[in-house]
Amino acid sequence: MIFEFVIIGGGIAGTSAGARLSHLGSVLLLESEPALAYHASGRSAALFEAQYGAPATVALNAASKDYHMTANGGVLRPRGLMMLAGPGEEDTLERDIAAMALDPIPVEEALVHIPALNPEHIRAAAYHADAWDLDTDLLIGNFVKEMRANGGQVRTGAAVTAIHRDAGLWHVTTGAETITARQLVNAAGAWVDEVATLAGVQPLGHRPLRRSMARMPAPGGHDPATWPMIIGAGETWYAKPDAGKWIVSPADEDPVDTPHDAWADDMVLAEGIARYQPFVTEEVTRVETSWAGLRTFSPDRTLVLGRDPGTPDFIWCSGQGGYGFQTAPAASQLLADLVAGRPPEIASEIVAALSPERFG
Ligand SMILES: Cc1cc2nc3c(=O)[nH]c(=O)nc-3n(C[C@H](O)[C@H](O)[C@H](O)COP(=O)(O)OP(=O)(O)OC[C@H]3O[C@@H](n4cnc5c(N)ncnc54)[C@H](O)[C@@H]3O)c2cc1C
């Protein structure tokens, strides 16, 4: 059989692309791990924050919100976002307030949101309610269902080890098998440039940056269920409720030499927790578990969506960085529109800002 699309990568990028493209032709998604969403897509903070990211990302967020709210019953639950400045961080918070459309609030009001905050350290605070927990498993599950309903196939434990092109077709090797497809979608997360190289396509210079997370009991034994996410001014750390617990991230962006199964570095975690610590009254005494994932950015930190200019049957769906879930509905819709040759709903300057052609 010749598939219309073979998709490499079973994270949010590949599954959302697969769902949309399954309306256009036969789809086979290949994922090297035994399960979908094993890498970055299984390790996120699961937030939808419409103002977060470069302008083209913010446009994708805005265009995704309605889908996230309503499709298949919706995947968002109210969370709220608060940013906090310690001594000397007030100007940084001012810039965050402008960038993220936050409302300045008195420190006393911040304490109403989270009683465990330390008013002696906090110099300024800002908040908006328009930030949401995103059910990442449900979103991926919904996209996979859509793909399968249209006859799309998903294969896990299927690492692509070789790709060659012959007579206008892609021949993709996984295990002992070679799969043939007309169009190849590169949604391999941290591995996108490696996949491009395998296919003989010029890599674009994606950079996988590690971000770590520590899970711990909520400060003071509180139930944090209704607390907002909190971020240190300038995104130097963040913390968020997570199934009755509390997760704290150093907001690290450490480049890694080669993509791999990332893990948290103890020193990076300790330094991040030290930056967070003075903002709460309770000392962190115990980290129950920790993890890390690779947030993979293109050179201008904006997603890459569309056909490769030199090899048009090679389709980029990459550079999701820290925004893969929140942008997925609009990003995958745009990808399908471009592949189908339909006029995209998104403004043309945004389409250009996302196009692989921008790397010339
Ligand atoms: C700590 C952290 C917090 C985050 N918080 C948020 C957040 O709050 N909101 C948000 O929207 N985003 C967030 N993100 C970002 C989000 O998780 C990513 O943007 C998204 O998961 C990237 O999805 P992906 O499908 O591109 O990559 P991945 O999930 O990594 O999937 C790529 C897949 O490709 C597979 N693959 C690679 N090479 C091959 C091959 N040769 N053959 C077959 N398969 C292959 C890999 O095994 C992998 O499963 C966060 C990320 C991290 C790490």
Side-chain angles (χ1 to χ4, degrees):
M1 163 171 190
I2 299 176
F3 289 92
E4 185 59 38
F5 303 103
V6 65
I7 298 175
I8 303 179
I12 183 61
T15 53
S16 57
R20 307 298 199 168
L21 295 173
S22 67
H23 295 270
L24 303 178
S26 53
V27 168
L28 173 64
L29 183 149
L30 300 173
E31 165 55 50
S32 54
E33 300 293 345
L36 298 175
Y38 175 81
H39 288 288
S41 299
R43 305 175 192 203
S44 87
L47 189 78
F48 177 88
E49 164 52 67
Q51 305 300 326
Y52 188 46
T57 307
V58 168
L60 289 174
N61 296 338
S64 294
K65 189 170 180 186
D66 185 51
Y67 182 101
H68 280 315
M69 284 281 183
T70 59
N72 306 297
V75 295
L76 300 184
R77 300 284 171 276
R79 173 55 59 205
L81 174 69
M82 188 154 67
M83 294 195 77
L84 302 171
E89 296 175 342
E90 295 88 336
D91 289 349
T92 309
L93 185 68
E94 284 301 318
R95 287 193 288 278
D96 291 334
I97 287 171
M100 304 278 284
L102 297 162
D103 299 316
I105 58 168
V107 174
E108 305 81 67
E109 197 178 319
L111 264 89
V112 174
H113 285 291
I114 302 186
L117 292 179
N118 177 7
E120 312 219 322
H121 184 73
I122 298 171
R123 296 292 183 271
Y127 174 80
H128 68 201
D130 192 9
W132 307 77
D133 274 355
L134 194 160
D135 188 330
T136 56
D137 290 344
L138 184 57
L139 184 64
I140 288 184
N142 289 340
F143 281 131
V144 170
K145 256 189 221 158
E146 182 177 341
M147 189 184 346
R148 288 200 167 121
N150 289 327
Q153 297 177 35
V154 174
R155 265 190 239 169
T156 52
V160 172
T161 51
I163 304 171
H164 78 271
R165 192 164 166 74
D166 182 34
L169 293 173
W170 293 105
H171 303 280
V172 174
T173 304
T174 172
E177 200 182 349
T178 297
I179 286 146
T180 305
R182 289 195 183 83
Q183 312 198 49
L184 189 152
V185 179
N186 184 5
W191 291 265
V192 280
D193 277 356
E194 293 194 352
V195 166
T197 304
L198 275 183
V201 169
Q202 182 67 33
L204 298 179
H206 288 87
R207 294 210 315 153
L209 307 179
R210 187 188 56 203
R211 176 152 292 188
S212 316
M213 202 80 90
R215 185 187 276 124
M216 58 191 72
H222 290 275
D223 175 3
T226 60
W227 293 0
M229 178 166 179
I230 50 175
I231 306 185
E235 200 182 343
T236 46
W237 56 269
Y238 65 79
K240 184 176 186 282
D242 183 54
K245 302 285 183 180
W246 189 233
I247 50 176
V248 176
S249 172
D252 42 330
E253 288 203 340
D254 294 324
V256 302
D257 287 340
T258 47
H260 61 273
D261 191 355
W263 69 92
D265 178 275
D266 285 348
M267 190 55 78
V268 171
L269 277 186
E271 287 171 0
I273 290 171
R275 289 193 292 278
Y276 147 85
Q277 180 66 87
F279 289 86
V280 290
T281 49
E282 296 284 325
E283 199 182 334
V284 177
T285 53
R286 186 157 57 100
V287 169
E288 292 175 349
T289 176
S290 67
W291 68 90
L294 300 178
R295 297 156 84 240
T296 298
F297 291 91
S298 75
D300 60 8
R301 291 181 71 96
T302 302
L303 283 79
V304 185
L305 300 171
R307 296 186 182 280
D308 184 85
T311 312
D313 289 342
F314 185 94
I315 298 157
W316 290 91
C317 181
S318 63
Q320 281 76 7
Y323 330 103
F325 284 99
Q326 51 184 31
T327 56
S332 55
Q333 184 60 55
L334 170 59
L335 195 78
D337 289 344
L338 293 169
V339 167
R342 297 186 294 240
E345 281 172 24
I346 286 206
S348 55
E349 65 271 19
I350 302 297
V351 177
L354 296 163
S355 168
E357 291 179 17
R358 72 189 191 268
F359 298 113

